[in-house]
Amino acid sequence: RYHKRTYFPNLYAFITAPPASLKGDLSFLLRFVEPVAEAIRLAGQQEMAEYEQKLAEYNAQKQKKGAKVGLPPKEPPYRTLFAPGNCTAAALYETMDDNQVLGIIMFEPEGDVITQACRNKETGDFSVGSRLAFHHEKISSFRKTDHKRIIIRCPRLTELISGTKNQVGDMIPSAENGNFSRYLFYELDEENDEWQDVFAEAEETVEDMYDAVGKEYYEKVYVPLSKRKQPLPFTFTVEQRDEFNAFFRVLQKEQTSMLGDEIRATVRRLGLITFRLAMTLSVLRLAETDVDVSTMETLVCDDRDFRIAMEMSNVLISHATS
């Protein structure tokens, strides 16, 4: 719970870096959640196989003379963990609607793809839906072509975008734009301009590392979490709450005095982003413990994760205002 509302750990991040600066390595992060994505795909395939069998039985029954049949079986939703950045607003909303329980991840290594999608008036501007999804606010959509109405009561969208600094301005024209304060911004500097040994030996590849930690997370955290009937509540300790409030109270005063009232929304949403970072770190740390996640009553933030999240917020505010 944050500001008297229920929030999930979904984050929006825009990582900027100069060309050829290895920001493409962010794609390896997808390997971390690949076991989860595969489990969702297999579950969807099973649902579709069961649907096709029921449909075949329904059609066979209809062929019988005098047979009374009810309504045909309903086709199951398309299960996936990912949504491409290059898609129409209608396609994005439909994917979100089909996967409301877990939510979806949108990863786009080229920021201009998102920019074009947001500005394409013919296919729909999903920047509005993105703003609503950040706070899990209801998204409603109606397609005139097939009279399909979509209502996403608690949208859960995670966005990871990378690109050059110029692409941020193309996607978000000004700080007054509602999307600016919703994103976690981080600028990678190319400090080492020397050629690196591209054949240097290593104990394991980056792919192997992410595959290993992804498998561990899937088995120790995701599987027991998926067995829960209710979400796992997350909370700060009383001491952490007091420090959090004191820190952001001072930060808001400092930033508004230097940059004006326009920065207030960024500081306030950075508070929520920091809370979500602490939540994410705490869930990841569960892989290091022997706690039965399926029966936990509450996940209390570890002081180490609280400290990391607060330090990250100090960095993020400087990158957002630079």
Side-chain angles (χ1 to χ4, degrees):
R1 298 292 180 89
Y2 186 92
H3 209 208
K4 302 178 183 179
R5 296 181 62 175
T6 299
Y7 281 99
F8 296 88
N10 306 83
L11 287 164
Y12 296 176
F14 202 127
I15 314 298
T16 64
S21 55
L22 298 181
K23 64 179 181 294
D25 285 5
L26 288 169
S27 61
F28 290 123
L29 291 171
L30 299 183
R31 301 181 78 100
F32 177 80
V33 291
E34 182 54 36
V36 177
E38 179 64 15
I40 293 172
R41 279 195 294 267
L42 292 175
Q45 290 175 4
Q46 180 63 32
E47 289 179 346
M48 182 58 70
E50 294 174 356
Y51 159 75
E52 290 175 347
Q53 180 179 351
K54 291 179 181 178
L55 182 62
E57 294 172 353
Y58 173 84
N59 290 332
Q61 186 68 19
K62 278 204 316 182
Q63 300 301 321
K64 297 180 181 179
K65 188 175 181 179
K68 294 182 178 180
V69 294
L71 296 174
K74 186 177 180 181
E75 185 174 353
Y78 173 66
R79 303 296 186 190
T80 183
L81 186 61
F82 302 114
N86 185 17
C87 68
T88 65
L92 176 63
Y93 294 156
E94 188 163 355
T95 303
M96 293 172 68
D97 185 40
D98 287 344
N99 300 274
Q100 292 201 42
V101 176
L102 279 180
I104 59 170
I105 297 171
M106 177 183 286
F107 170 66
E108 184 48 64
E110 295 298 335
D112 55 349
V113 173
I114 296 288
T115 301
Q116 293 170 12
C118 288
R119 292 184 176 180
N120 193 332
K121 301 304 179 183
E122 294 181 1
T123 58
D125 179 356
F126 62 69
S127 64
V128 176
S130 179
R131 292 199 294 270
L132 291 171
F134 182 83
H135 290 290
H136 310 305
E137 296 170 336
K138 184 174 72 173
I139 296 175
S140 299
S141 174
F142 179 73
R143 286 211 307 253
K144 186 177 180 180
T145 52
D146 56 3
H147 301 284
K148 182 174 182 178
R149 184 176 297 278
I150 292 176
I151 299 178
I152 311 168
R153 302 193 181 282
C154 183
R156 304 178 200 178
L157 175 64
T158 296
E159 293 185 31
L160 176 58
I161 305 170
S162 64
T164 63
K165 199 168 183 177
N166 289 337
Q167 290 173 339
V168 175
D170 292 338
M171 176 178 160
I172 306 173
S174 67
E176 289 76 22
N177 181 287
N179 264 322
F180 180 81
S181 59
R182 287 166 167 81
Y183 277 86
L184 174 166
F185 291 101
Y186 190 87
E187 182 179 2
L188 289 168
D189 290 326
E190 189 64 67
E191 296 179 352
N192 187 0
D193 59 359
E194 296 183 2
W195 181 266
Q196 299 181 32
D197 182 359
V198 295
F199 304 109
E201 293 295 329
E203 293 183 0
E204 61 179 356
T205 65
V206 179
E207 296 95 325
D208 292 338
M209 180 187 71
Y210 277 106
D211 287 345
V213 295
K215 184 174 184 292
E216 181 183 27
Y217 171 81
Y218 174 79
E219 294 174 349
K220 292 185 176 180
V221 182
Y222 175 77
V223 171
L225 272 177
S226 64
K227 294 177 181 178
R228 296 180 61 91
K229 295 182 179 179
Q230 297 294 331
L232 176 61
F234 170 79
T235 184
F236 281 164
T237 65
V238 173
E239 293 78 14
Q240 290 168 355
R241 293 178 187 180
D242 291 342
E243 182 177 342
F244 182 92
N245 284 325
F247 173 83
F248 278 98
R249 189 176 293 115
V250 172
L251 183 65
Q252 178 175 277
K253 187 175 182 180
E254 289 177 346
Q255 292 297 320
T256 53
S257 66
M258 292 187 297
L259 301 173
D261 292 340
E262 292 80 5
I263 199 64
R264 184 177 290 114
T266 296
V267 176
R268 290 182 175 178
R269 289 200 170 104
L270 178 59
L272 175 55
I273 288 171
T274 304
F275 183 71
R276 283 169 157 166
L277 285 170
M279 193 188 315
T280 301
L281 291 167
S282 296
V283 171
L284 291 174
R285 193 175 293 279
L286 287 173
E288 302 176 0
T289 69
D290 295 324
V291 178
D292 186 355
V293 182
S294 63
T295 59
M296 283 183 69
E297 292 186 4
T298 304
L299 176 58
V300 180
C301 185
D302 187 289
D303 280 336
R304 292 169 294 178
D305 298 321
F306 176 77
R307 189 63 47 215
I308 293 170
M310 294 297 286
E311 290 293 338
M312 290 174 74
S313 68
N314 254 327
V315 175
L316 294 174
I317 190 62
S318 65
H319 284 240
T321 55
S322 63

mmCIF file of all heavy atoms in Angstrom, residues 282-303:
data_model
loop_
_atom_site.group_PDB
_atom_site.id
_atom_site.type_symbol
_atom_site.label_atom_id
_atom_site.label_comp_id
_atom_site.label_asym_id
_atom_site.label_seq_id
_atom_site.Cartn_x
_atom_site.Cartn_y
_atom_site.Cartn_z
ATOM 1 N N SER A 282 13.193 -6.754 -2.838
ATOM 2 C CA SER A 282 12.801 -7.663 -1.759
ATOM 3 C C SER A 282 12.324 -9.005 -2.304
ATOM 4 O O SER A 282 12.607 -10.062 -1.731
ATOM 5 C CB SER A 282 11.704 -7.021 -0.901
ATOM 6 O OG SER A 282 12.176 -5.852 -0.256
ATOM 7 N N VAL A 283 11.607 -8.970 -3.423
ATOM 8 C CA VAL A 283 11.140 -10.214 -4.033
ATOM 9 C C VAL A 283 12.322 -10.999 -4.601
ATOM 10 O O VAL A 283 12.411 -12.219 -4.447
ATOM 11 C CB VAL A 283 10.099 -9.924 -5.133
ATOM 12 C CG1 VAL A 283 9.775 -11.185 -5.918
ATOM 13 C CG2 VAL A 283 8.829 -9.360 -4.512
ATOM 14 N N LEU A 284 13.252 -10.295 -5.246
ATOM 15 C CA LEU A 284 14.434 -10.976 -5.779
ATOM 16 C C LEU A 284 15.243 -11.635 -4.662
ATOM 17 O O LEU A 284 15.785 -12.725 -4.834
ATOM 18 C CB LEU A 284 15.313 -9.979 -6.534
ATOM 19 C CG LEU A 284 14.763 -9.431 -7.852
ATOM 20 C CD1 LEU A 284 15.677 -8.349 -8.400
ATOM 21 C CD2 LEU A 284 14.592 -10.542 -8.879
ATOM 22 N N ARG A 285 15.315 -10.987 -3.503
ATOM 23 C CA ARG A 285 16.094 -11.527 -2.394
ATOM 24 C C ARG A 285 15.481 -12.808 -1.837
ATOM 25 O O ARG A 285 16.158 -13.596 -1.170
ATOM 26 C CB ARG A 285 16.240 -10.476 -1.286
ATOM 27 C CG ARG A 285 17.290 -10.846 -0.252
ATOM 28 C CD ARG A 285 17.505 -9.731 0.751
ATOM 29 N NE ARG A 285 18.109 -8.554 0.159
ATOM 30 C CZ ARG A 285 19.408 -8.421 -0.076
ATOM 31 N NH1 ARG A 285 20.240 -9.412 0.208
ATOM 32 N NH2 ARG A 285 19.886 -7.312 -0.589
ATOM 33 N N LEU A 286 14.205 -13.032 -2.101
ATOM 34 C CA LEU A 286 13.556 -14.252 -1.619
ATOM 35 C C LEU A 286 14.238 -15.502 -2.166
ATOM 36 O O LEU A 286 14.176 -16.564 -1.555
ATOM 37 C CB LEU A 286 12.076 -14.261 -2.014
ATOM 38 C CG LEU A 286 11.166 -13.296 -1.252
ATOM 39 C CD1 LEU A 286 9.769 -13.290 -1.865
ATOM 40 C CD2 LEU A 286 11.094 -13.661 0.224
ATOM 41 N N ALA A 287 14.897 -15.373 -3.317
ATOM 42 C CA ALA A 287 15.589 -16.519 -3.900
ATOM 43 C C ALA A 287 16.767 -16.957 -3.036
ATOM 44 O O ALA A 287 17.244 -18.088 -3.159
ATOM 45 C CB ALA A 287 16.079 -16.181 -5.310
ATOM 46 N N GLU A 288 17.246 -16.064 -2.145
ATOM 47 C CA GLU A 288 18.382 -16.384 -1.281
ATOM 48 C C GLU A 288 17.944 -17.026 0.035
ATOM 49 O O GLU A 288 18.787 -17.439 0.825
ATOM 50 C CB GLU A 288 19.175 -15.110 -0.965
ATOM 51 C CG GLU A 288 19.699 -14.371 -2.185
ATOM 52 C CD GLU A 288 20.377 -13.068 -1.806
ATOM 53 O OE1 GLU A 288 20.423 -12.760 -0.589
ATOM 54 O OE2 GLU A 288 20.845 -12.351 -2.700
ATOM 55 N N THR A 289 16.640 -17.059 0.297
ATOM 56 C CA THR A 289 16.145 -17.555 1.575
ATOM 57 C C THR A 289 15.488 -18.918 1.418
ATOM 58 O O THR A 289 15.259 -19.405 0.311
ATOM 59 C CB THR A 289 15.126 -16.571 2.174
ATOM 60 O OG1 THR A 289 13.924 -16.587 1.375
ATOM 61 C CG2 THR A 289 15.688 -15.151 2.193
ATOM 62 N N ASP A 290 15.172 -19.517 2.556
ATOM 63 C CA ASP A 290 14.472 -20.794 2.569
ATOM 64 C C ASP A 290 13.010 -20.624 2.986
ATOM 65 O O ASP A 290 12.339 -21.591 3.348
ATOM 66 C CB ASP A 290 15.164 -21.763 3.541
ATOM 67 C CG ASP A 290 16.570 -22.117 3.081
ATOM 68 O OD1 ASP A 290 16.779 -22.231 1.859
ATOM 69 O OD2 ASP A 290 17.466 -22.257 3.940
ATOM 70 N N VAL A 291 12.519 -19.393 2.953
ATOM 71 C CA VAL A 291 11.140 -19.106 3.354
ATOM 72 C C VAL A 291 10.171 -19.664 2.312
ATOM 73 O O VAL A 291 10.420 -19.591 1.111
ATOM 74 C CB VAL A 291 10.933 -17.588 3.511
ATOM 75 C CG1 VAL A 291 9.489 -17.277 3.881
ATOM 76 C CG2 VAL A 291 11.884 -17.027 4.552
ATOM 77 N N ASP A 292 9.062 -20.233 2.786
ATOM 78 C CA ASP A 292 8.022 -20.728 1.887
ATOM 79 C C ASP A 292 7.177 -19.538 1.434
ATOM 80 O O ASP A 292 6.326 -19.048 2.171
ATOM 81 C CB ASP A 292 7.152 -21.769 2.598
ATOM 82 C CG ASP A 292 6.136 -22.415 1.649
ATOM 83 O OD1 ASP A 292 6.061 -21.984 0.477
ATOM 84 O OD2 ASP A 292 5.426 -23.332 2.086
ATOM 85 N N VAL A 293 7.434 -19.062 0.225
ATOM 86 C CA VAL A 293 6.768 -17.868 -0.281
ATOM 87 C C VAL A 293 5.263 -18.080 -0.415
ATOM 88 O O VAL A 293 4.477 -17.143 -0.270
ATOM 89 C CB VAL A 293 7.373 -17.453 -1.633
ATOM 90 C CG1 VAL A 293 6.732 -16.172 -2.150
ATOM 91 C CG2 VAL A 293 8.873 -17.268 -1.504
ATOM 92 N N SER A 294 4.860 -19.316 -0.654
ATOM 93 C CA SER A 294 3.436 -19.590 -0.885
ATOM 94 C C SER A 294 2.597 -19.370 0.365
ATOM 95 O O SER A 294 1.383 -19.177 0.268
ATOM 96 C CB SER A 294 3.248 -21.021 -1.391
ATOM 97 O OG SER A 294 3.676 -21.955 -0.416
ATOM 98 N N THR A 295 3.224 -19.388 1.553
ATOM 99 C CA THR A 295 2.468 -19.245 2.801
ATOM 100 C C THR A 295 2.826 -17.982 3.575
ATOM 101 O O THR A 295 2.310 -17.766 4.666
ATOM 102 C CB THR A 295 2.694 -20.473 3.711
ATOM 103 O OG1 THR A 295 4.102 -20.593 4.000
ATOM 104 C CG2 THR A 295 2.204 -21.736 3.043
ATOM 105 N N MET A 296 3.705 -17.147 3.038
ATOM 106 C CA MET A 296 4.082 -15.906 3.727
ATOM 107 C C MET A 296 2.870 -15.009 3.896
ATOM 108 O O MET A 296 2.035 -14.885 3.005
ATOM 109 C CB MET A 296 5.155 -15.151 2.934
ATOM 110 C CG MET A 296 6.552 -15.709 3.048
ATOM 111 S SD MET A 296 7.747 -14.670 2.137
ATOM 112 C CE MET A 296 7.741 -13.202 3.176
ATOM 113 N N GLU A 297 2.765 -14.358 5.045
ATOM 114 C CA GLU A 297 1.656 -13.433 5.275
ATOM 115 C C GLU A 297 1.993 -12.039 4.737
ATOM 116 O O GLU A 297 1.155 -11.374 4.127
ATOM 117 C CB GLU A 297 1.331 -13.360 6.768
ATOM 118 C CG GLU A 297 0.738 -14.656 7.336
ATOM 119 C CD GLU A 297 0.301 -14.504 8.766
ATOM 120 O OE1 GLU A 297 0.377 -13.369 9.297
ATOM 121 O OE2 GLU A 297 -0.131 -15.509 9.361
ATOM 122 N N THR A 298 3.225 -11.590 4.984
ATOM 123 C CA THR A 298 3.648 -10.256 4.558
ATOM 124 C C THR A 298 5.133 -10.275 4.241
ATOM 125 O O THR A 298 5.916 -10.933 4.925
ATOM 126 C CB THR A 298 3.388 -9.206 5.661
ATOM 127 O OG1 THR A 298 2.012 -9.225 6.025
ATOM 128 C CG2 THR A 298 3.752 -7.807 5.172
ATOM 129 N N LEU A 299 5.516 -9.548 3.206
ATOM 130 C CA LEU A 299 6.926 -9.393 2.866
ATOM 131 C C LEU A 299 7.386 -8.039 3.403
ATOM 132 O O LEU A 299 6.976 -6.989 2.906
ATOM 133 C CB LEU A 299 7.123 -9.461 1.354
ATOM 134 C CG LEU A 299 8.543 -9.223 0.840
ATOM 135 C CD1 LEU A 299 9.524 -10.226 1.437
ATOM 136 C CD2 LEU A 299 8.582 -9.283 -0.681
ATOM 137 N N VAL A 300 8.226 -8.063 4.433
ATOM 138 C CA VAL A 300 8.743 -6.836 5.033
ATOM 139 C C VAL A 300 10.075 -6.500 4.374
ATOM 140 O O VAL A 300 10.943 -7.356 4.223
ATOM 141 C CB VAL A 300 8.929 -7.000 6.553
ATOM 142 C CG1 VAL A 300 9.475 -5.707 7.165
ATOM 143 C CG2 VAL A 300 7.608 -7.379 7.216
ATOM 144 N N CYS A 301 10.240 -5.252 3.989
ATOM 145 C CA CYS A 301 11.439 -4.825 3.271
ATOM 146 C C CYS A 301 12.687 -5.011 4.131
ATOM 147 O O CYS A 301 12.751 -4.538 5.269
ATOM 148 C CB CYS A 301 11.303 -3.363 2.856
ATOM 149 S SG CYS A 301 12.663 -2.765 1.828
ATOM 150 N N ASP A 302 13.657 -5.690 3.576
ATOM 151 C CA ASP A 302 14.951 -5.851 4.230
ATOM 152 C C ASP A 302 15.650 -4.494 4.255
ATOM 153 O O ASP A 302 15.576 -3.724 3.300
ATOM 154 C CB ASP A 302 15.779 -6.877 3.450
ATOM 155 C CG ASP A 302 17.074 -7.241 4.150
ATOM 156 O OD1 ASP A 302 17.981 -6.389 4.180
ATOM 157 O OD2 ASP A 302 17.176 -8.378 4.654
ATOM 158 N N ASP A 303 16.359 -4.186 5.350
ATOM 159 C CA ASP A 303 17.053 -2.900 5.451
ATOM 160 C C ASP A 303 18.062 -2.706 4.334
ATOM 161 O O ASP A 303 18.286 -1.578 3.872
ATOM 162 C CB ASP A 303 17.756 -2.788 6.812
ATOM 163 C CG ASP A 303 16.794 -2.402 7.932
ATOM 164 O OD1 ASP A 303 15.753 -1.799 7.622
ATOM 165 O OD2 ASP A 303 17.092 -2.708 9.101
#
